[in-house]
Amino acid sequence: MPIPHHCRLILSVYEDDLRNPIWAPPGGYGINPDWVILRKDYEETQCRVPPYIIYLDHKNTDIVLAIRGLNLAKEGDYAVLLDNKLGQTKFDGGYVHNGLLKAAKWVFDAECEVLKGLVERNPDYTLTFTGHSLGAGVVALLVLVVVQNLDKLGNIERKKIRCFVIAPARCMSLNLAVRYADIINSIVLQDDFLPRTTTALEDVFKSLFCLPCLLCLMCLKDTCTLEEKMLKDPRRLYAPGRLYHIVERKPFRLGRFPPVVRTAVPVDGRFEHIVLSCNATTDHAIIWIERESQKALDLMLEKDRIMEIPAKQRIERQESLAREHSVEYKAALQRAVALDIPLAYSPSQYGTFREMEEGETSGRSSEQTSLLSSRRDGRESWDEFVGRLFDVDESGQIVFKKSVS
């Protein structure tokens, strides 16, 4: 996964002049300034969205739109992040963060013609959206807008669209986070508080100077809330897509260890509780994420060289990895269906999520979705099982059906 490269792309947005960088990480940004199609600062975005660039990455055959994170000195960024007082906005059968969605729509309207031209001139290139913190929330919802308007981008195929969000805010409901996990990849470093906090972001940033106290209260609240109650709340927001957790510290151990990348899905509960740690805020910094993700990538490449698969078995291993990912997501979606989470579709046979078929509406109830998935799996739902075995007599008591042996 090219996470260090995308971190450096995001960091490059902070520079005024890429030919004479001031804040470059060790080794530089690794980008060609001549391939930067456009860059917009706060004046050009009218403070409706953080600054961003569009980069034509010929080396990786990729078209990239990268958005920087929150600027603590800009009121416009706070206005975007805190624009959620009236509750989450409905979108594509789920709920999303209102301010981030408006920012995403602004970017789409402003750049759809540019992106369409790049896609048409480079038909073999992928289209990638990436961002950090506030920018991560914007690009996550931007992908939802893009998928709903593929015709405005030259009818690019869904499988060519990718999204890498670094330390994202919780910005979409569970059904959307699961359904778009074939496109959106979230990267979280160790104890980062932002992807875990369910408290309104307005309260978080108003309490910036007493954030530890707020984190303690949130931790206590999440601990005392039943998991099923949390998962069944349709307006509860989650970190988007497939989650990659970079772990570099162990409980009750001092110092950092070689980072390990663990995968997670929104319904497995790993990011449902605040971690009370002195690194809860520093793990949110993109500089640390870039360093640790590069270390993790180097370790993975070194391990791959040591355990290199023979050429004849390489295809078989790739197929087994695809099956493992498919099984993981199928299990997650089955759990989501079992918990009556609305619009949580079953995965397709290709390991991604089944797109809505012709004539299918986004307003299908969770009961209909559960029945549909149970018939496709050859399994019965609990209601079908009870209805097949039991009946209700005149007194209202549940009794075995006589036809059941």
Side-chain angles (χ1 to χ4, degrees):
M1 182 183 296
I3 298 305
H5 174 62
H6 287 297
C7 287
R8 289 189 283 269
L9 272 174
I10 297 167
L11 284 169
S12 72
V13 183
Y14 290 77
E15 296 283 358
D16 293 327
D17 184 4
L18 284 176
R19 299 185 185 279
N20 299 288
I22 301 175
W23 317 108
Y29 293 112
I31 64 176
N32 186 340
D34 295 331
W35 295 349
V36 176
I37 303 301
L38 65 82
R39 55 185 297 127
K40 289 190 175 180
D41 55 20
Y42 280 106
E43 183 177 351
E44 293 171 301
T45 63
Q46 304 168 23
C47 290
R48 299 195 180 192
V49 66
Y52 59 87
I53 65 170
I54 294 180
Y55 181 67
L56 188 57
D57 191 349
H58 294 292
K59 182 178 179 181
N60 298 298
T61 62
D62 196 14
I63 303 165
V64 186
L65 190 152
I67 304 181
R68 60 161 285 175
L70 175 73
N71 186 340
L72 295 174
K74 286 292 181 180
E75 294 183 3
D77 284 2
Y78 288 104
V80 172
L81 196 61
L82 307 184
D83 182 11
N84 211 31
K85 294 180 180 179
L86 300 179
Q88 291 77 26
T89 302
K90 283 189 175 183
F91 186 86
D92 193 21
Y95 292 88
V96 297
H97 186 286
N98 184 53
L100 295 177
L101 179 63
K102 289 198 294 187
K105 288 182 176 179
W106 188 93
V107 175
F108 181 80
D109 292 338
E111 310 302 344
C112 66
E113 290 299 325
V114 175
L115 293 175
K116 180 181 179 181
L118 292 173
V119 168
E120 291 177 342
R121 290 193 298 271
N122 304 276
D124 297 329
Y125 283 36
T126 52
L127 178 59
T128 301
F129 301 91
T130 187
H132 169 249
S133 189
L134 173 62
V138 174
V139 296
L141 297 188
L142 178 58
V143 165
L144 271 62
V145 176
V146 166
V147 171
Q148 297 295 314
N149 297 274
L150 292 177
D151 56 320
K152 295 184 179 180
L153 292 179
N155 289 315
I156 185 173
E157 297 179 69
R158 179 183 173 118
K159 64 182 181 181
K160 287 188 175 182
I161 300 173
R162 304 183 304 168
C163 181
F164 297 98
V165 292
I166 317 296
R170 295 167 76 105
C171 59
M172 63 180 67
S173 56
L174 182 56
N175 62 326
L176 293 176
V178 172
R179 282 165 49 198
Y180 285 88
D182 60 325
I183 299 177
I184 304 175
N185 303 277
S186 293
I187 292 81
V188 180
L189 177 61
Q190 190 72 32
D191 301 329
D192 188 358
F193 78 96
L194 193 61
R196 291 180 167 88
T197 177
T198 55
T199 301
L201 296 176
E202 178 182 11
D203 298 331
V204 171
F205 285 93
K206 280 182 177 179
S207 309
L208 198 59
F209 295 104
C210 56
L211 187 58
C213 301
L214 182 63
L215 294 179
C216 290
L217 291 175
M218 289 189 291
C219 182
L220 182 63
K221 177 184 175 183
D222 289 340
T223 303
C224 297
T225 303
L226 294 176
E227 181 183 14
E228 293 184 1
K229 182 179 179 181
M230 292 190 294
L231 290 173
K232 287 184 178 181
D233 183 2
R235 301 176 73 90
R236 183 182 175 89
L237 301 185
Y238 290 80
R242 187 183 183 93
L243 304 171
Y244 291 87
H245 190 197
I246 303 174
V247 180
E248 58 173 2
R249 295 184 298 275
K250 298 180 181 179
F252 310 110
R253 301 285 294 275
L254 297 176
R256 295 176 182 266
F257 292 84
V260 176
V261 181
R262 298 175 181 172
T263 59
V265 287
V267 293
D268 70 356
R270 184 180 299 173
F271 295 97
E272 292 310 297
H273 300 279
I274 292 290
V275 177
L276 297 179
S277 165
C278 59
N279 301 100
T281 53
T282 57
D283 283 342
H284 185 69
I286 189 171
I287 295 177
W288 278 111
I289 298 173
E290 189 271 335
R291 292 176 183 175
E292 297 304 317
S293 62
Q294 185 63 60
K295 290 180 184 178
L297 180 60
D298 293 340
L299 289 172
M300 292 169 66
L301 293 176
E302 182 180 353
K303 184 177 179 181
D304 286 343
R305 284 193 295 269
I306 295 173
M307 304 178 64
E308 188 172 359
I309 305 171
K312 293 182 179 179
Q313 298 181 12
R314 186 170 290 114
I315 296 177
E316 295 180 4
R317 177 56 179 160
Q318 290 173 348
E319 291 176 351
S320 68
L321 286 173
R323 285 196 299 271
E324 289 171 9
H325 290 169
S326 176
V327 169
E328 176 186 349
Y329 273 109
K330 188 173 182 180
L333 282 175
Q334 286 175 348
R335 184 181 179 196
V337 171
L339 290 169
D340 291 333
I341 294 170
L343 296 173
Y345 303 141
S346 296
S348 72
Q349 59 181 331
Y350 300 105
T352 57
F353 299 102
R354 180 181 63 85
E355 296 186 35
M356 297 181 67
E357 297 174 355
E358 186 176 356
E360 185 176 342
T361 63
S362 60
R364 174 183 289 143
S365 68
S366 58
E367 181 180 357
Q368 291 172 318
T369 307
S370 177
L371 290 174
L372 179 62
S373 63
S374 65
R375 287 168 187 158
R376 290 185 173 181
D377 294 338
R379 301 178 183 177
E380 291 180 310
S381 68
W382 178 254
D383 291 338
E384 289 177 320
F385 176 73
V386 172
R388 184 168 60 83
L389 296 183
F390 300 95
D391 206 345
V392 180
D393 60 15
E394 296 178 355
S395 62
Q397 299 294 323
I398 297 179
V399 296
F400 276 102
K401 286 186 177 180
K402 296 181 180 180
S403 58
V404 178
S405 56

